[in-house]
Amino acid sequence: MEVNDIACDMLGYTREELLQKTLYDITAVDNEDIKKRIKEVIALGEKTHESKHLTKEGDIIPLEISARSFLYKGRQTMISVGRDIRERQQLEQEILNISERERQRIGRDMHDDLGQMLTGIGMIARNLANKLKANGLPAAEEVLDIANMVKEADEHARSLARGLVSVNVE
């Protein structure tokens, strides 16, 4: 029934051109999905969802659509407001990328730094246990227990690190 100038500018149509289009013409979503969303808006009275709209040139613009259903002159009518979410999606992707890089860094640090430290401590403790045992001192078993616990901690840290660092399939 009506479109605003922002929608015309965003999609690249004149007002007259856009008023001749249907939702199916300007949406890069499966027709069954469009029908489902329309039914949901009518059933719920209002709904917000993400969609992809086509520009006149064929580019796809992701939009957040807030739609409301109401009766107008006895006829079921919907009003929709679309908000361009390209910038939001770029920011979300950047956050995911930063999170992934940080996760990988933590995994590498755990594997390289912490793993090496624990291996070194375990070797020193095992060596000390051997010296104590060679001298017949009773603390040898306790130091060997410490060495074994350090080895378990090292294996656990390496296992955690493997879970944090993704495998490069190439």
Side-chain angles (χ1 to χ4, degrees):
M1 294 172 56
E2 186 58 61
V3 295
N4 64 21
D5 292 336
I6 294 172
C8 295
D9 291 343
M10 183 184 300
L11 297 176
Y13 292 102
T14 65
R15 179 179 300 281
E16 294 73 28
E17 290 173 323
L18 195 52
L19 284 171
Q20 291 176 8
K21 302 287 181 188
T22 68
L23 191 57
Y24 301 98
D25 297 327
I26 62 169
T27 308
V29 178
D30 179 75
N31 286 355
E32 291 305 313
D33 194 35
I34 294 171
K35 289 176 187 175
K36 178 182 159 212
R37 288 178 180 176
I38 290 171
K39 287 179 183 178
E40 288 175 343
V41 172
I42 292 170
L44 299 171
E46 63 182 271
K47 182 163 175 37
T48 300
H49 64 274
E50 289 187 11
S51 185
K52 296 177 181 175
H53 279 55
L54 291 168
T55 66
K56 187 175 182 177
E57 294 78 32
D59 296 327
I60 295 176
I61 298 176
L63 297 175
E64 180 182 79
I65 304 293
S66 295
R68 181 177 288 258
S69 173
F70 59 95
L71 289 175
Y72 179 71
K73 295 184 179 179
R75 196 170 140 199
Q76 188 67 48
T77 307
M78 284 182 23
I79 186 168
S80 298
V81 176
R83 186 175 71 153
D84 186 341
I85 58 172
R86 286 179 283 194
E87 185 176 330
R88 183 183 86 191
Q89 287 181 338
Q90 289 171 345
L91 291 172
E92 288 171 351
Q93 187 59 50
E94 183 62 26
I95 289 169
L96 289 173
N97 292 343
I98 290 169
S99 175
E100 175 63 18
R101 286 193 304 267
E102 187 62 13
R103 188 176 66 81
Q104 295 246 346
R105 185 194 63 76
I106 291 169
R108 279 191 307 275
D109 288 351
M110 281 182 68
H111 181 271
D112 298 344
D113 299 340
L114 181 60
Q116 287 180 11
M117 284 184 216
L118 290 172
T119 298
I121 293 168
M123 290 172 65
I124 291 168
R126 192 165 303 281
N127 188 28
L128 179 58
N130 290 336
K131 286 180 183 178
L132 291 172
K133 187 175 182 181
N135 290 326
L137 297 172
E141 281 302 314
E142 292 173 355
V143 175
L144 188 58
D145 287 344
I146 292 170
N148 289 333
M149 290 172 68
V150 169
K151 183 178 181 190
E152 286 179 34
D154 183 31
E155 289 170 0
H156 185 64
R158 289 180 192 276
S159 175
L160 289 173
R162 277 193 294 279
L164 290 171
V165 178
S166 59
V167 176
N168 184 353
V169 177
E170 265 183 348

PDB file of all heavy atoms in Angstrom, residues 101-130:
ATOM      1  N   ARG A 101      40.568 -15.994  17.887  1.00  0.00           N
ATOM      2  CA  ARG A 101      42.015 -15.756  17.982  1.00  0.00           C
ATOM      3  C   ARG A 101      42.494 -15.843  19.426  1.00  0.00           C
ATOM      4  O   ARG A 101      43.551 -16.406  19.720  1.00  0.00           O
ATOM      5  CB  ARG A 101      42.376 -14.391  17.382  1.00  0.00           C
ATOM      6  CG  ARG A 101      42.328 -14.350  15.867  1.00  0.00           C
ATOM      7  CD  ARG A 101      42.970 -13.114  15.293  1.00  0.00           C
ATOM      8  NE  ARG A 101      42.435 -11.869  15.781  1.00  0.00           N
ATOM      9  CZ  ARG A 101      41.463 -11.173  15.202  1.00  0.00           C
ATOM     10  NH1 ARG A 101      40.902 -11.596  14.100  1.00  0.00           N
ATOM     11  NH2 ARG A 101      41.053 -10.032  15.722  1.00  0.00           N
ATOM     12  N   GLU A 102      41.709 -15.310  20.353  1.00  0.00           N
ATOM     13  CA  GLU A 102      42.080 -15.358  21.779  1.00  0.00           C
ATOM     14  C   GLU A 102      42.056 -16.796  22.297  1.00  0.00           C
ATOM     15  O   GLU A 102      42.936 -17.210  23.041  1.00  0.00           O
ATOM     16  CB  GLU A 102      41.131 -14.472  22.591  1.00  0.00           C
ATOM     17  CG  GLU A 102      41.521 -14.321  24.035  1.00  0.00           C
ATOM     18  CD  GLU A 102      42.866 -13.653  24.261  1.00  0.00           C
ATOM     19  OE1 GLU A 102      43.450 -13.062  23.326  1.00  0.00           O
ATOM     20  OE2 GLU A 102      43.363 -13.732  25.402  1.00  0.00           O
ATOM     21  N   ARG A 103      41.059 -17.558  21.889  1.00  0.00           N
ATOM     22  CA  ARG A 103      40.977 -18.962  22.281  1.00  0.00           C
ATOM     23  C   ARG A 103      42.195 -19.725  21.769  1.00  0.00           C
ATOM     24  O   ARG A 103      42.805 -20.507  22.501  1.00  0.00           O
ATOM     25  CB  ARG A 103      39.686 -19.564  21.713  1.00  0.00           C
ATOM     26  CG  ARG A 103      39.374 -20.959  22.193  1.00  0.00           C
ATOM     27  CD  ARG A 103      38.035 -21.438  21.654  1.00  0.00           C
ATOM     28  NE  ARG A 103      38.024 -21.601  20.219  1.00  0.00           N
ATOM     29  CZ  ARG A 103      38.515 -22.673  19.585  1.00  0.00           C
ATOM     30  NH1 ARG A 103      39.025 -23.653  20.271  1.00  0.00           N
ATOM     31  NH2 ARG A 103      38.465 -22.747  18.278  1.00  0.00           N
ATOM     32  N   GLN A 104      42.570 -19.470  20.542  1.00  0.00           N
ATOM     33  CA  GLN A 104      43.743 -20.141  19.953  1.00  0.00           C
ATOM     34  C   GLN A 104      45.014 -19.725  20.700  1.00  0.00           C
ATOM     35  O   GLN A 104      45.876 -20.554  20.971  1.00  0.00           O
ATOM     36  CB  GLN A 104      43.858 -19.773  18.468  1.00  0.00           C
ATOM     37  CG  GLN A 104      42.697 -20.285  17.651  1.00  0.00           C
ATOM     38  CD  GLN A 104      43.109 -21.334  16.663  1.00  0.00           C
ATOM     39  OE1 GLN A 104      44.272 -21.520  16.385  1.00  0.00           O
ATOM     40  NE2 GLN A 104      42.130 -22.041  16.142  1.00  0.00           N
ATOM     41  N   ARG A 105      45.114 -18.432  21.036  1.00  0.00           N
ATOM     42  CA  ARG A 105      46.299 -17.947  21.761  1.00  0.00           C
ATOM     43  C   ARG A 105      46.408 -18.624  23.119  1.00  0.00           C
ATOM     44  O   ARG A 105      47.489 -19.085  23.516  1.00  0.00           O
ATOM     45  CB  ARG A 105      46.248 -16.425  21.940  1.00  0.00           C
ATOM     46  CG  ARG A 105      47.518 -15.856  22.587  1.00  0.00           C
ATOM     47  CD  ARG A 105      47.339 -14.434  23.068  1.00  0.00           C
ATOM     48  NE  ARG A 105      46.344 -14.290  24.105  1.00  0.00           N
ATOM     49  CZ  ARG A 105      46.501 -14.631  25.381  1.00  0.00           C
ATOM     50  NH1 ARG A 105      47.629 -15.156  25.799  1.00  0.00           N
ATOM     51  NH2 ARG A 105      45.530 -14.438  26.267  1.00  0.00           N
ATOM     52  N   ILE A 106      45.301 -18.706  23.824  1.00  0.00           N
ATOM     53  CA  ILE A 106      45.308 -19.353  25.138  1.00  0.00           C
ATOM     54  C   ILE A 106      45.707 -20.820  24.991  1.00  0.00           C
ATOM     55  O   ILE A 106      46.508 -21.336  25.772  1.00  0.00           O
ATOM     56  CB  ILE A 106      43.932 -19.215  25.825  1.00  0.00           C
ATOM     57  CG1 ILE A 106      43.686 -17.758  26.215  1.00  0.00           C
ATOM     58  CG2 ILE A 106      43.830 -20.126  27.043  1.00  0.00           C
ATOM     59  CD1 ILE A 106      42.256 -17.467  26.648  1.00  0.00           C
ATOM     60  N   GLY A 107      45.174 -21.485  23.979  1.00  0.00           N
ATOM     61  CA  GLY A 107      45.525 -22.884  23.736  1.00  0.00           C
ATOM     62  C   GLY A 107      47.004 -23.064  23.449  1.00  0.00           C
ATOM     63  O   GLY A 107      47.649 -23.982  23.969  1.00  0.00           O
ATOM     64  N   ARG A 108      47.558 -22.178  22.615  1.00  0.00           N
ATOM     65  CA  ARG A 108      48.996 -22.263  22.307  1.00  0.00           C
ATOM     66  C   ARG A 108      49.838 -21.999  23.549  1.00  0.00           C
ATOM     67  O   ARG A 108      50.825 -22.694  23.813  1.00  0.00           O
ATOM     68  CB  ARG A 108      49.367 -21.278  21.200  1.00  0.00           C
ATOM     69  CG  ARG A 108      49.043 -21.770  19.809  1.00  0.00           C
ATOM     70  CD  ARG A 108      49.652 -20.888  18.736  1.00  0.00           C
ATOM     71  NE  ARG A 108      49.330 -19.487  18.874  1.00  0.00           N
ATOM     72  CZ  ARG A 108      48.223 -18.912  18.402  1.00  0.00           C
ATOM     73  NH1 ARG A 108      47.348 -19.628  17.751  1.00  0.00           N
ATOM     74  NH2 ARG A 108      48.003 -17.631  18.576  1.00  0.00           N
ATOM     75  N   ASP A 109      49.445 -20.978  24.330  1.00  0.00           N
ATOM     76  CA  ASP A 109      50.184 -20.668  25.556  1.00  0.00           C
ATOM     77  C   ASP A 109      50.147 -21.838  26.530  1.00  0.00           C
ATOM     78  O   ASP A 109      51.163 -22.180  27.149  1.00  0.00           O
ATOM     79  CB  ASP A 109      49.619 -19.414  26.241  1.00  0.00           C
ATOM     80  CG  ASP A 109      49.949 -18.133  25.487  1.00  0.00           C
ATOM     81  OD1 ASP A 109      50.763 -18.193  24.535  1.00  0.00           O
ATOM     82  OD2 ASP A 109      49.385 -17.078  25.848  1.00  0.00           O
ATOM     83  N   MET A 110      48.972 -22.454  26.659  1.00  0.00           N
ATOM     84  CA  MET A 110      48.874 -23.601  27.562  1.00  0.00           C
ATOM     85  C   MET A 110      49.757 -24.741  27.071  1.00  0.00           C
ATOM     86  O   MET A 110      50.454 -25.369  27.858  1.00  0.00           O
ATOM     87  CB  MET A 110      47.424 -24.097  27.644  1.00  0.00           C
ATOM     88  CG  MET A 110      46.546 -23.269  28.536  1.00  0.00           C
ATOM     89  SD  MET A 110      44.871 -23.926  28.628  1.00  0.00           S
ATOM     90  CE  MET A 110      45.161 -25.445  29.504  1.00  0.00           C
ATOM     91  N   HIS A 111      49.718 -24.988  25.786  1.00  0.00           N
ATOM     92  CA  HIS A 111      50.489 -26.105  25.237  1.00  0.00           C
ATOM     93  C   HIS A 111      51.982 -25.831  25.321  1.00  0.00           C
ATOM     94  O   HIS A 111      52.756 -26.651  25.809  1.00  0.00           O
ATOM     95  CB  HIS A 111      50.086 -26.370  23.789  1.00  0.00           C
ATOM     96  CG  HIS A 111      50.827 -27.517  23.188  1.00  0.00           C
ATOM     97  ND1 HIS A 111      52.044 -27.348  22.540  1.00  0.00           N
ATOM     98  CD2 HIS A 111      50.548 -28.832  23.148  1.00  0.00           C
ATOM     99  CE1 HIS A 111      52.463 -28.523  22.123  1.00  0.00           C
ATOM    100  NE2 HIS A 111      51.575 -29.447  22.473  1.00  0.00           N
ATOM    101  N   ASP A 112      52.390 -24.659  24.862  1.00  0.00           N
ATOM    102  CA  ASP A 112      53.819 -24.363  24.771  1.00  0.00           C
ATOM    103  C   ASP A 112      54.425 -23.988  26.120  1.00  0.00           C
ATOM    104  O   ASP A 112      55.333 -24.648  26.596  1.00  0.00           O
ATOM    105  CB  ASP A 112      54.067 -23.236  23.760  1.00  0.00           C
ATOM    106  CG  ASP A 112      53.639 -23.610  22.351  1.00  0.00           C
ATOM    107  OD1 ASP A 112      53.446 -24.821  22.088  1.00  0.00           O
ATOM    108  OD2 ASP A 112      53.470 -22.715  21.519  1.00  0.00           O
ATOM    109  N   ASP A 113      53.901 -22.953  26.735  1.00  0.00           N
ATOM    110  CA  ASP A 113      54.504 -22.437  27.969  1.00  0.00           C
ATOM    111  C   ASP A 113      54.203 -23.318  29.176  1.00  0.00           C
ATOM    112  O   ASP A 113      55.116 -23.831  29.828  1.00  0.00           O
ATOM    113  CB  ASP A 113      54.026 -21.008  28.236  1.00  0.00           C
ATOM    114  CG  ASP A 113      54.428 -20.042  27.121  1.00  0.00           C
ATOM    115  OD1 ASP A 113      55.370 -20.370  26.367  1.00  0.00           O
ATOM    116  OD2 ASP A 113      53.800 -18.976  27.003  1.00  0.00           O
ATOM    117  N   LEU A 114      52.925 -23.477  29.472  1.00  0.00           N
ATOM    118  CA  LEU A 114      52.545 -24.246  30.659  1.00  0.00           C
ATOM    119  C   LEU A 114      52.995 -25.700  30.528  1.00  0.00           C
ATOM    120  O   LEU A 114      53.525 -26.289  31.473  1.00  0.00           O
ATOM    121  CB  LEU A 114      51.033 -24.173  30.886  1.00  0.00           C
ATOM    122  CG  LEU A 114      50.498 -24.909  32.104  1.00  0.00           C
ATOM    123  CD1 LEU A 114      51.120 -24.355  33.390  1.00  0.00           C
ATOM    124  CD2 LEU A 114      48.981 -24.825  32.152  1.00  0.00           C
ATOM    125  N   GLY A 115      52.808 -26.272  29.352  1.00  0.00           N
ATOM    126  CA  GLY A 115      53.215 -27.657  29.132  1.00  0.00           C
ATOM    127  C   GLY A 115      54.700 -27.861  29.364  1.00  0.00           C
ATOM    128  O   GLY A 115      55.123 -28.834  30.000  1.00  0.00           O
ATOM    129  N   GLN A 116      55.516 -26.934  28.848  1.00  0.00           N
ATOM    130  CA  GLN A 116      56.960 -27.056  29.038  1.00  0.00           C
ATOM    131  C   GLN A 116      57.348 -26.892  30.501  1.00  0.00           C
ATOM    132  O   GLN A 116      58.216 -27.610  31.011  1.00  0.00           O
ATOM    133  CB  GLN A 116      57.693 -26.024  28.182  1.00  0.00           C
ATOM    134  CG  GLN A 116      57.672 -26.376  26.706  1.00  0.00           C
ATOM    135  CD  GLN A 116      58.410 -25.350  25.863  1.00  0.00           C
ATOM    136  OE1 GLN A 116      59.103 -24.484  26.393  1.00  0.00           O
ATOM    137  NE2 GLN A 116      58.264 -25.448  24.559  1.00  0.00           N
ATOM    138  N   MET A 117      56.697 -25.959  31.186  1.00  0.00           N
ATOM    139  CA  MET A 117      57.003 -25.770  32.609  1.00  0.00           C
ATOM    140  C   MET A 117      56.658 -27.022  33.406  1.00  0.00           C
ATOM    141  O   MET A 117      57.457 -27.471  34.239  1.00  0.00           O
ATOM    142  CB  MET A 117      56.213 -24.582  33.171  1.00  0.00           C
ATOM    143  CG  MET A 117      56.748 -23.236  32.789  1.00  0.00           C
ATOM    144  SD  MET A 117      55.755 -21.979  33.633  1.00  0.00           S
ATOM    145  CE  MET A 117      55.709 -20.718  32.394  1.00  0.00           C
ATOM    146  N   LEU A 118      55.482 -27.578  33.157  1.00  0.00           N
ATOM    147  CA  LEU A 118      55.083 -28.776  33.893  1.00  0.00           C
ATOM    148  C   LEU A 118      55.986 -29.958  33.565  1.00  0.00           C
ATOM    149  O   LEU A 118      56.338 -30.745  34.464  1.00  0.00           O
ATOM    150  CB  LEU A 118      53.620 -29.119  33.599  1.00  0.00           C
ATOM    151  CG  LEU A 118      52.584 -28.157  34.191  1.00  0.00           C
ATOM    152  CD1 LEU A 118      51.197 -28.474  33.672  1.00  0.00           C
ATOM    153  CD2 LEU A 118      52.621 -28.179  35.709  1.00  0.00           C
ATOM    154  N   THR A 119      56.384 -30.091  32.317  1.00  0.00           N
ATOM    155  CA  THR A 119      57.305 -31.170  31.940  1.00  0.00           C
ATOM    156  C   THR A 119      58.627 -31.000  32.683  1.00  0.00           C
ATOM    157  O   THR A 119      59.177 -31.971  33.231  1.00  0.00           O
ATOM    158  CB  THR A 119      57.541 -31.184  30.415  1.00  0.00           C
ATOM    159  OG1 THR A 119      56.289 -31.428  29.765  1.00  0.00           O
ATOM    160  CG2 THR A 119      58.525 -32.257  30.007  1.00  0.00           C
ATOM    161  N   GLY A 120      59.128 -29.765  32.730  1.00  0.00           N
ATOM    162  CA  GLY A 120      60.382 -29.497  33.438  1.00  0.00           C
ATOM    163  C   GLY A 120      60.278 -29.795  34.920  1.00  0.00           C
ATOM    164  O   GLY A 120      61.164 -30.441  35.510  1.00  0.00           O
ATOM    165  N   ILE A 121      59.188 -29.351  35.554  1.00  0.00           N
ATOM    166  CA  ILE A 121      58.992 -29.610  36.984  1.00  0.00           C
ATOM    167  C   ILE A 121      58.902 -31.111  37.233  1.00  0.00           C
ATOM    168  O   ILE A 121      59.496 -31.640  38.186  1.00  0.00           O
ATOM    169  CB  ILE A 121      57.727 -28.889  37.501  1.00  0.00           C
ATOM    170  CG1 ILE A 121      57.913 -27.370  37.456  1.00  0.00           C
ATOM    171  CG2 ILE A 121      57.378 -29.341  38.922  1.00  0.00           C
ATOM    172  CD1 ILE A 121      56.634 -26.584  37.662  1.00  0.00           C
ATOM    173  N   GLY A 122      58.181 -31.805  36.359  1.00  0.00           N
ATOM    174  CA  GLY A 122      58.048 -33.253  36.506  1.00  0.00           C
ATOM    175  C   GLY A 122      59.393 -33.961  36.389  1.00  0.00           C
ATOM    176  O   GLY A 122      59.681 -34.891  37.156  1.00  0.00           O
ATOM    177  N   MET A 123      60.235 -33.533  35.455  1.00  0.00           N
ATOM    178  CA  MET A 123      61.558 -34.146  35.284  1.00  0.00           C
ATOM    179  C   MET A 123      62.437 -33.894  36.498  1.00  0.00           C
ATOM    180  O   MET A 123      63.132 -34.800  36.980  1.00  0.00           O
ATOM    181  CB  MET A 123      62.220 -33.618  34.011  1.00  0.00           C
ATOM    182  CG  MET A 123      61.551 -34.127  32.734  1.00  0.00           C
ATOM    183  SD  MET A 123      62.177 -33.342  31.241  1.00  0.00           S
ATOM    184  CE  MET A 123      63.855 -33.914  31.233  1.00  0.00           C
ATOM    185  N   ILE A 124      62.390 -32.670  37.018  1.00  0.00           N
ATOM    186  CA  ILE A 124      63.184 -32.337  38.207  1.00  0.00           C
ATOM    187  C   ILE A 124      62.721 -33.181  39.399  1.00  0.00           C
ATOM    188  O   ILE A 124      63.537 -33.740  40.142  1.00  0.00           O
ATOM    189  CB  ILE A 124      63.100 -30.827  38.516  1.00  0.00           C
ATOM    190  CG1 ILE A 124      63.830 -30.021  37.437  1.00  0.00           C
ATOM    191  CG2 ILE A 124      63.664 -30.518  39.890  1.00  0.00           C
ATOM    192  CD1 ILE A 124      63.567 -28.525  37.495  1.00  0.00           C
ATOM    193  N   ALA A 125      61.392 -33.283  39.578  1.00  0.00           N
ATOM    194  CA  ALA A 125      60.857 -34.058  40.695  1.00  0.00           C
ATOM    195  C   ALA A 125      61.224 -35.539  40.558  1.00  0.00           C
ATOM    196  O   ALA A 125      61.602 -36.197  41.534  1.00  0.00           O
ATOM    197  CB  ALA A 125      59.336 -33.888  40.771  1.00  0.00           C
ATOM    198  N   ARG A 126      61.136 -36.089  39.348  1.00  0.00           N
ATOM    199  CA  ARG A 126      61.485 -37.499  39.120  1.00  0.00           C
ATOM    200  C   ARG A 126      62.989 -37.715  39.400  1.00  0.00           C
ATOM    201  O   ARG A 126      63.382 -38.701  40.029  1.00  0.00           O
ATOM    202  CB  ARG A 126      61.132 -37.897  37.686  1.00  0.00           C
ATOM    203  CG  ARG A 126      61.195 -39.399  37.471  1.00  0.00           C
ATOM    204  CD  ARG A 126      60.517 -39.824  36.187  1.00  0.00           C
ATOM    205  NE  ARG A 126      59.123 -39.438  36.069  1.00  0.00           N
ATOM    206  CZ  ARG A 126      58.110 -40.080  36.656  1.00  0.00           C
ATOM    207  NH1 ARG A 126      58.350 -41.135  37.388  1.00  0.00           N
ATOM    208  NH2 ARG A 126      56.880 -39.687  36.503  1.00  0.00           N
ATOM    209  N   ASN A 127      63.801 -36.777  38.938  1.00  0.00           N
ATOM    210  CA  ASN A 127      65.250 -36.864  39.190  1.00  0.00           C
ATOM    211  C   ASN A 127      65.536 -36.820  40.687  1.00  0.00           C
ATOM    212  O   ASN A 127      66.353 -37.596  41.205  1.00  0.00           O
ATOM    213  CB  ASN A 127      65.971 -35.746  38.445  1.00  0.00           C
ATOM    214  CG  ASN A 127      67.469 -35.884  38.497  1.00  0.00           C
ATOM    215  OD1 ASN A 127      68.009 -36.981  38.608  1.00  0.00           O
ATOM    216  ND2 ASN A 127      68.163 -34.754  38.414  1.00  0.00           N
ATOM    217  N   LEU A 128      64.855 -35.920  41.400  1.00  0.00           N
ATOM    218  CA  LEU A 128      65.026 -35.810  42.846  1.00  0.00           C
ATOM    219  C   LEU A 128      64.578 -37.108  43.538  1.00  0.00           C
ATOM    220  O   LEU A 128      65.260 -37.588  44.458  1.00  0.00           O
ATOM    221  CB  LEU A 128      64.243 -34.613  43.389  1.00  0.00           C
ATOM    222  CG  LEU A 128      64.303 -34.364  44.893  1.00  0.00           C
ATOM    223  CD1 LEU A 128      65.755 -34.171  45.357  1.00  0.00           C
ATOM    224  CD2 LEU A 128      63.447 -33.161  45.273  1.00  0.00           C
ATOM    225  N   ALA A 129      63.464 -37.660  43.068  1.00  0.00           N
ATOM    226  CA  ALA A 129      62.982 -38.923  43.645  1.00  0.00           C
ATOM    227  C   ALA A 129      64.008 -40.027  43.459  1.00  0.00           C
ATOM    228  O   ALA A 129      64.259 -40.823  44.380  1.00  0.00           O
ATOM    229  CB  ALA A 129      61.649 -39.311  43.005  1.00  0.00           C
ATOM    230  N   ASN A 130      64.624 -40.090  42.291  1.00  0.00           N
ATOM    231  CA  ASN A 130      65.652 -41.110  42.031  1.00  0.00           C
ATOM    232  C   ASN A 130      66.857 -40.928  42.948  1.00  0.00           C
ATOM    233  O   ASN A 130      67.412 -41.901  43.470  1.00  0.00           O
ATOM    234  CB  ASN A 130      66.086 -41.092  40.560  1.00  0.00           C
ATOM    235  CG  ASN A 130      64.993 -41.611  39.636  1.00  0.00           C
ATOM    236  OD1 ASN A 130      64.125 -42.362  40.048  1.00  0.00           O
ATOM    237  ND2 ASN A 130      65.041 -41.186  38.381  1.00  0.00           N
TER     238      ASN A 130
END
